[in-house]
Amino acid sequence: MVRIEVERATTRDMRRRNRSTLLSELFFRGPLSRHDLSRITGLSAATASSVTAELLHEGLIIEAGQIESDGGRPRVLLRVNPDFGRLVGADVGETGVKVELFDLSMTRLATVDEPLPSSRPDPSVVAGQLEAGIRAVLKDTAAQDVLGIGIGVPGTVEQADPPLVYAPTLGWRGVSFHTLLRERGITAPLFVENGAKTQGQAEMWFGAGRGAGNAVIVLVGSGVGAAVITNGTVYRGASSSAGEWGHTTVVYGGRQCRCGARGCLEAYVGAEGILERARALDPSRPAAAGEMADVAALIAAGTDAAAATLDETAGMLGAGIGNLVNLFNPERVVLGGWAGLALGGRLLDKIRAAAEEQALEHPFGQVSIELCELGPDAVAFGAATLPMAELLRRASRP
């Protein structure tokens, strides 16, 4: 009896793996024919045909036209059904909450963007903003069509049950957005992850990290973080806090960081640190409408004080990237986040030069330093890939 149960489990597991493999290929590389799927995956033609028939019957995939074959009947192309369900991605940044709705082709269908009420908001207030945003983007979507809600947050996310958020710069210690949203009546599957890691997954799936097995995707905005990808997998560490690159020390005893330590990279290249140093050099600089506007104005200013601030920022950011090159030996470093994109768009050559000065010659010779391709919305987009990843793993509705 035990042997029979083991055989049944093994057969069931193999079937699930085959479904996941074929669905993943169609998601990332489709549309494809059954012949293509068999060739790419190594599965037999009979297995590919049988599994795709199941997925078609369940509505997970659909036919997407035909192509001519060599001497035979035209081959039917298959793709993931974009209307099988809906995905929600949310970015809880340090200045605002963005919630977006996607179909299964990762086409953005709706967006809600609201500023945070303060620099250290109460988690329950943020949960209220998330709830309102989720309900707003889902107003025309049936509850059963929502496959999951991914949420990118600042700070460390301990992947417990439920996940717990630790963001000392915001005063959050052990916050469960899962609990707070359930209390507000949100019933769809929830996935919570650090925002740099959700951006990292988005760039690895669809952006500048695609095709790299070992990469570091960095986020520079109000806060600073990184997603370290080793052999295609996000490195998390013992309690999921790996990637807190912004709180590595670049100047011993240097500027005070929001985390309480001194000399952190974030204190120099995070938006607040950039603007504070600019005002120290030029006290007449006005405080504009917000960090994004202030950083954009600084980059466009052209004054000696602005140039000095930006040169030091490029040097510090390059040094931080050089540290990543020495520590992780990536083939690619991708610079993202709204401030990272703004700085990189103007100073990427200086950032690369500073990284080269600080990195060891051999690993630096193997790395490329590029800008994020998915723009400042990459965190929310990446958050929506969290429930999508679960769908691909299970090859059935979460």
Side-chain angles (χ1 to χ4, degrees):
M1 179 64 71
V2 172
R3 182 179 63 82
I4 293 173
E5 288 301 320
V6 169
E7 288 178 354
R8 285 177 179 169
T10 301
T11 301
R12 187 166 56 247
D13 292 344
M14 183 176 297
R15 195 73 176 175
R16 185 180 297 116
R17 283 196 298 271
N18 290 343
R19 285 169 58 95
S20 176
T21 298
L22 293 177
L23 187 63
S24 295
E25 290 295 337
L26 289 171
F27 178 71
F28 288 111
R29 302 173 66 172
L32 297 168
S33 69
R34 293 171 178 82
H35 175 79
D36 293 331
L37 289 168
S38 176
R39 175 178 52 81
I40 292 167
T41 63
L43 295 173
S44 70
T47 297
S49 180
S50 172
V51 173
T52 55
E54 287 181 9
L55 297 173
L56 279 164
H57 177 72
E58 294 166 21
L60 261 168
I61 65 175
I62 56 175
E63 295 183 352
Q66 297 180 336
I67 55 171
E68 295 297 325
S69 63
D70 297 331
R73 291 188 305 173
R75 291 174 181 159
V76 175
L77 294 174
L78 305 171
R79 61 174 295 192
V80 171
N81 180 3
D83 293 322
F84 180 78
R86 296 290 184 257
L87 308 164
V88 176
D91 174 10
V92 179
E94 294 183 331
T95 59
V97 173
K98 176 174 289 185
V99 182
E100 299 188 319
L101 180 68
F102 299 85
D103 66 17
L104 294 202
S105 68
M106 300 308 298
T107 297
R108 187 177 289 105
L109 304 175
T111 301
V112 172
D113 198 350
E114 294 289 339
L116 288 176
S118 72
S119 60
R120 292 174 69 88
D122 187 280
S124 63
V125 174
V126 176
Q129 289 183 286
L130 278 170
E131 180 207 355
I134 290 166
R135 295 194 186 282
V137 299
L138 292 177
K139 64 180 180 179
D140 297 320
T141 303
Q144 65 269 23
D145 291 335
V146 183
L147 300 180
I149 299 167
I151 304 170
V153 296
T156 297
V157 180
E158 182 181 348
Q159 293 298 336
D161 185 16
L164 300 175
V165 180
Y166 295 85
T169 59
L170 300 181
W172 297 353
R173 288 173 174 78
V175 174
S176 170
F177 281 105
H178 186 286
T179 301
L180 291 170
L181 289 172
R182 289 286 184 256
E183 290 173 350
R184 287 165 172 77
I186 301 297
T187 59
L190 294 172
F191 304 81
V192 182
E193 182 57 280
N194 167 265
K197 291 184 173 68
T198 72
Q199 175 192 264
Q201 180 154 295
E203 287 293 328
M204 293 300 292
W205 278 22
F206 300 110
R210 193 168 189 179
N214 295 278
V216 182
I217 318 296
V218 303
L219 184 153
V220 180
S222 299
V224 176
V228 179
I229 315 297
T230 59
N231 298 319
T233 302
V234 176
Y235 177 71
R236 298 184 179 280
S239 60
S240 301
S241 71
E244 288 295 330
W245 175 56
H247 301 292
T248 56
T249 303
V250 290
V251 179
Y252 178 72
R255 289 176 49 80
Q256 183 79 46
C257 180
R258 297 181 303 167
C259 73
R262 287 189 172 275
C264 293
L265 179 65
E266 184 176 300
Y268 293 89
V269 306
E272 183 178 298
I274 294 171
L275 295 171
E276 285 180 354
R277 288 184 296 110
R279 292 189 187 106
L281 291 176
D282 182 7
S284 66
R285 282 194 63 80
E291 287 184 344
M292 285 191 184
D294 284 359
V295 170
L298 178 69
I299 291 172
T303 64
D304 290 344
T309 302
L310 293 173
D311 282 347
E312 184 184 45
T313 301
M316 288 291 187
L317 186 50
I321 290 174
N323 289 339
L324 293 173
V325 171
N326 290 342
L327 281 169
F328 299 108
N329 187 27
E331 59 196 280
R332 205 169 300 166
V333 175
V334 178
L335 174 59
W338 65 264
L341 287 170
L343 293 167
R346 175 77 174 268
L347 302 167
L348 190 58
D349 287 344
K350 290 185 177 181
I351 293 167
R352 285 174 174 149
E356 184 175 12
E357 287 182 2
Q358 298 300 319
L360 294 170
E361 180 180 1
H362 183 63
F364 187 81
Q366 299 173 321
V367 72
S368 65
I369 301 172
E370 304 174 16
L371 291 181
C372 165
E373 292 180 359
L374 299 177
D377 288 342
V379 172
F381 184 90
T385 69
L386 301 178
M388 188 68 210
E390 180 68 6
L391 174 65
L392 294 176
R393 185 185 70 82
R394 294 166 56 100
S396 62
R397 188 176 292 273

